[in-house]
Every structure is written in structure tokens, then in C-alpha cells.
């Protein structure tokens, strides 16, 4: 195999060339990676704008079959990684859409409030992203957004399951919300706002699903209920100045840290390049052998018909001489 060509293809990728990424950078990088895979796989095609990563899988499968299955094992690894990337793209898109729906719902709160979106909080031991923090005269609300098409079951301990034919464990949602509450509490305490109550709400954007919540310490609702729950009358416990101070404290504590991408993209690129070069070389070898076969065939035909033509020429000359009495 031409290792120089493999290294050349691998180095030509411009997506995911940093060590760390902020959350907002991940989806654009995933789209860029997909586009580069398409471009390199369909290099001879001019119309690739609508092609996706599964089209790359399909084309490589076709090429592998044409070449006698020479990279089947590498392709299985590649397709497994592609599935992970596709699921990640879907999750990022779904999460973004869900957050936009939730932000739209939160805009319908009637009472005095301050909305902070996509807040990242951390200390030496924990870190978490809070989809939304709403500060009102009644306290602070942590809003966790879930945009899912599956029915959900939350057990008494706060374990979060997607339901269907089988229960599929997703996470310990109660524990996750406790981490968010703990981090927010630290921020408020540091500003002398220890008396501000904190409430946690898990909101589901799809009202067509069924949510069974058996955890009494975890509040869940659908989008249409969210503004009402936050607006619902409670004893006013903080002043407007405390509201603003709390919002300022959260905004100042927001850390837009970047983290390593939890997937070995370099190995993925290298595997793809190896597959592409192997298939390309096999195709060239196959075409070369075919060309040699055709040349040999025509050489044989030329020799064969040369004898025929010569024999025919002798017969014609003989006949001509007989007719003319020679």
C-alpha cells in the first residue's frame, strides 16, 4: 500500500484538528467531517451537496464488493464509528432544537424574571451544563431540557429509562440534577445569597410521549406547563436587587471551557484513508489487468486474422491468374 498517499489523505482533513473543543463547536466540526468524507469518497462526482455519511458507507461497500472484499474488516470498524458519529449529530441537533423550544416557552413567563441560557458551572470536583437558569422573586429555577421521541420512565431512585420493547437505562437524572443544584448553590452562597431557594425542573419538549415519574424529589413537566410552574404563586423571598445580584453571580461563574472530543478522530481518519487507498489500488490493478487481457486478446485476433487475410489474398491472386490464363 502507498503509505505516503494514506498520510496525504489523512493530513488533508481540516475538521477536528484541535486538541479541545467547546460544546458549541462540536456540531459544526461533525458536519465538516461528514462533508470531507463525502468529498474524498466521491472525488469524481460534481454533485455531492446532498450526500451524507451513510452514502459514504454505501459507496465504500460497493467498491469493496467490486474488489473482492479486501477491506471488509476495516469497513466494519469504519461503519461502527460512522454510527457513533451519526448518533452524535442527531443528538446535537435534537438537543439544540429542544433548547430552542424550551427558550420559546420560557419567554412566556409573565412574572419578573431573568433568563440565563446554557450556563456551564464547575468546581474542583464537578462540572455540569445547565440548559437554563431562571431567576425570579421566588428563587432560582434550573431547567433541564429533554427532547426525545421515546416514552420515559423514572424510578423511585431517579434512574432515567427510555421505554419501548425493553427498558433502556439512560442516566441517573436525580443525581445529575443534584450536581447542577450543588454547583448553583455554591455560586449563590459565594455572593451571600444562601437564602435563595433553588428548584429543579426536567421539561420534555414532546407532549406526545408518556412520562412516568416515580421520583418524588424530581419535578417533571411538558413545555406547555413550564411557564405556569415558574409563575405559580409562592411567597416572595428575594428582592429585585437580589435577583439581579444572583443573575450577575451566575453569569460571572459561567465558564466556557473546552474539552477533548471523546472520540479518536485521528484513528477514524487513518482507517478511512487506508480503506480508500486500498480500494483505489485494487481498482487500478483490476483495470490494468483488464487492459492487459484486452491487448492480449486483440494481439491474438490480429495474428489470427493476419493469416486469414494472407490466405485470402493468395486465393484471390491465384484465381485472378487462372482467369487471365497465367
Amino acid at each position: 500500500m502507498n503509505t505516503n498517499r494514506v498520510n496525504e489523505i489523512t493530513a488533508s482533513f481540516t475538521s477536528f484538528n484541535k486538541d479541545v473543543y467547546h460544546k458549541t463547536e462540536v456540531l459544526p466540526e461533525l458536519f465538516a467531517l461528514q462533508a470531507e468524507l463525502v468529498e474524498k469518497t466521491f472525488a469524481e462526482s460534481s454533485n455531492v451537496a446532498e450526500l451524507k455519511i451513510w452514502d459514504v458507507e454505501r459507496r465504500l461497500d460497493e467498491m469493496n464488493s467490486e474488489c473482492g472484499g479486501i477491506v471488509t474488516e476495516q469497513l466494519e470498524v469504519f461503519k461502527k464509528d460512522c454510527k457513533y458519529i451519526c448518533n452524535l449529530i442527531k443528538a446535537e441537533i435534537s438537543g439544540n432544537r429542544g433548547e430552542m423550544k424550551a427558550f420559546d416557552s420560557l419567554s412566556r413567563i409573565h412574572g419578573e424574571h431573568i433568563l440565563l441560557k446554557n450556563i456551564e458551572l464547575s468546581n474542583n470536583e464537578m462540572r455540569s451544563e445547565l440548559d437554563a437558569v431562571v431567576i425570579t422573586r421566588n428563587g432560582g429555577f434550573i431547567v433541564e431540557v429533554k427532547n426525545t421521541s421515546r416514552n420515559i420512565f423514572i424510578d423511585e431512585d431517579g434512574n432515567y429509562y427510555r421505554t419501548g420493547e425493553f427498558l433502556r437505562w439512560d442516566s441517573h437524572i436525580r443525581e445529575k440534577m443534584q450536581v447542577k443544584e450543588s454547583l448553583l448553590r455554591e455560586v449563590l452562597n459565594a455572593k451571600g445569597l444562601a437564602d435563595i431557594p433553588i428548584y429543579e425542573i426536567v421539561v420534555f419538549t414532546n407532549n406526545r410521549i408518556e412520562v412516568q415519574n416515580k421520583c418524588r424529589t424530581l419535578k417533571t413537566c411538558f413545555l406547555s406547563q413550564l411557564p405556569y410552574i415558574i409563575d405559580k404563586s409562592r411567597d416572595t423571598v428575594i428582592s429585585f436587587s437580589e435577583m439581579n445580584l444572583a443573575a450577575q453571580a451566575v453569569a460571572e461563574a459561567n465558564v466556557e471551557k473546552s474539552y477533548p472530543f471523546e472520540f479518536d478522530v485521528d484513528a477514524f481518519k487513518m482507517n478511512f484513508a487506508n480503506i480508500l487507498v486500498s480500494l483505489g489500488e485494487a481498482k487500478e490493478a483490476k483495470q490494468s489487468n483488464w487492459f492487459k487481457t484486452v491487448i492480449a486478446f486483440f494481439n491474438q485476433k490480429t495474428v489470427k486474422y493476419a493469416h486469414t487475410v494472407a490466405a485470402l489474398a493468395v486465393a484471390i491472386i491465384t484465381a485472378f491468374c487462372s482467369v487471365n490464363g497465367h
Side-chain angles (χ1 to χ4, degrees):
M1 182 190 298
N2 187 342
T3 56
N4 288 335
R5 179 58 181 153
V6 171
N7 292 332
E8 181 184 329
I9 292 174
T10 304
S12 69
F13 280 91
T14 59
S15 59
F16 285 106
N17 279 338
K18 299 194 304 181
D19 293 330
V20 293
Y21 294 88
H22 184 256
K23 180 182 182 298
T24 57
E25 296 179 298
V26 173
L27 186 57
E29 288 294 313
L30 288 169
F31 280 139
L33 176 62
Q34 176 176 251
E36 289 184 305
L37 292 170
V38 168
E39 178 187 356
K40 297 178 193 306
T41 304
F42 297 90
E44 299 175 359
S45 176
S46 59
N47 186 20
V48 298
E50 300 301 320
L51 298 182
K52 307 297 181 187
I53 199 167
W54 49 83
D55 295 304
V56 172
E57 293 181 56
R58 174 183 52 78
R59 179 57 186 144
L60 293 180
D61 262 334
E62 291 172 355
M63 294 170 65
N64 187 44
S65 297
E66 293 167 0
C67 296
I70 61 171
V71 292
T72 299
E73 291 185 8
Q74 296 98 310
L75 261 179
E76 289 304 312
V77 175
F78 177 75
K79 287 190 284 187
K80 181 180 178 181
D81 289 341
C82 284
K83 183 177 181 181
Y84 174 85
I85 291 171
C86 286
N87 288 339
L88 193 55
I89 289 174
K90 291 177 183 177
E92 288 290 323
I93 291 174
S94 176
N96 290 343
R97 287 176 178 170
E99 288 179 3
M100 291 303 296
K101 291 177 183 178
F103 297 154
D104 180 66
S105 177
L106 290 169
S107 70
R108 295 179 174 83
I109 297 173
H110 294 295
E112 185 75 24
H113 69 282
I114 302 172
L115 171 62
L116 300 106
K117 306 173 183 178
N118 300 125
I119 299 297
E120 290 184 54
L121 301 179
S122 67
N123 57 22
N124 293 330
E125 300 176 356
M126 304 177 292
R127 63 169 292 271
S128 184
E129 181 181 346
L130 288 62
D131 293 333
V133 176
V134 185
I135 309 296
T136 74
R137 296 290 302 281
N138 302 313
F141 294 82
I142 299 172
V143 179
E144 173 75 3
V145 181
K146 295 294 183 183
N147 189 32
T148 178
S149 59
R150 296 290 185 90
N151 293 335
I152 300 299
F153 174 73
I154 304 173
D155 68 16
E156 291 84 351
D157 295 325
N159 288 293
Y160 181 99
Y161 298 89
R162 300 175 190 273
T163 69
E165 186 177 355
F166 303 100
L167 281 179
R168 180 182 175 187
W169 186 85
D170 181 278
S171 62
H172 196 297
I173 189 67
R174 173 68 267 176
E175 186 177 278
K176 288 177 65 175
M177 297 306 291
Q178 286 175 335
V179 168
K180 297 176 192 294
E181 190 274 339
S182 177
L183 289 169
L184 181 58
R185 173 56 63 199
E186 283 186 24
V187 171
L188 296 181
N189 288 355
K191 289 290 185 179
L193 300 170
D195 294 334
I196 293 182
I198 297 175
Y199 306 95
E200 306 148 30
I201 306 173
V202 179
V203 58
F204 293 90
T205 62
N206 184 358
N207 60 9
R208 293 186 296 273
I209 67 170
E210 180 182 349
V211 177
Q212 296 185 60
N213 179 15
K214 301 293 185 180
C215 183
R216 294 186 176 183
T217 58
L218 184 67
K219 180 70 176 178
T220 60
C221 71
F222 290 105
L223 279 181
S224 59
Q225 302 166 304
L226 183 58
Y228 170 76
I229 291 173
I230 294 177
D231 268 329
K232 190 166 62 174
S233 177
R234 293 186 177 92
D235 294 333
T236 299
V237 294
I238 62 176
S239 64
F240 287 117
S241 61
E242 288 174 319
M243 274 181 58
N244 289 315
L245 183 59
Q248 180 183 347
V250 173
E252 290 175 352
N254 184 28
V255 288
E256 295 188 356
K257 287 187 177 180
S258 297
Y259 301 91
F261 185 54
E262 295 180 355
F263 176 72
D264 194 342
V265 185
D266 290 338
F268 176 75
K269 294 174 182 176
M270 180 65 74
N271 187 34
F272 169 77
N274 274 294
I275 291 170
L276 207 58
V277 171
S278 295
L279 292 174
E281 290 179 348
K283 182 179 178 181
E284 288 176 3
K286 187 176 181 181
Q287 289 174 340
S288 177
N289 291 336
W290 177 85
F291 184 72
K292 290 177 181 178
T293 301
V294 171
I295 293 300
F297 172 80
F298 276 111
N299 285 339
Q300 291 174 0
K301 291 297 183 182
T302 301
V303 172
K304 177 181 177 181
Y305 287 117
H307 288 296
T308 303
V309 170
L312 182 60
V314 170
I316 293 171
I317 292 171
T318 302
F320 176 79
C321 289
S322 297
V323 169
N324 288 280
H326 294 290

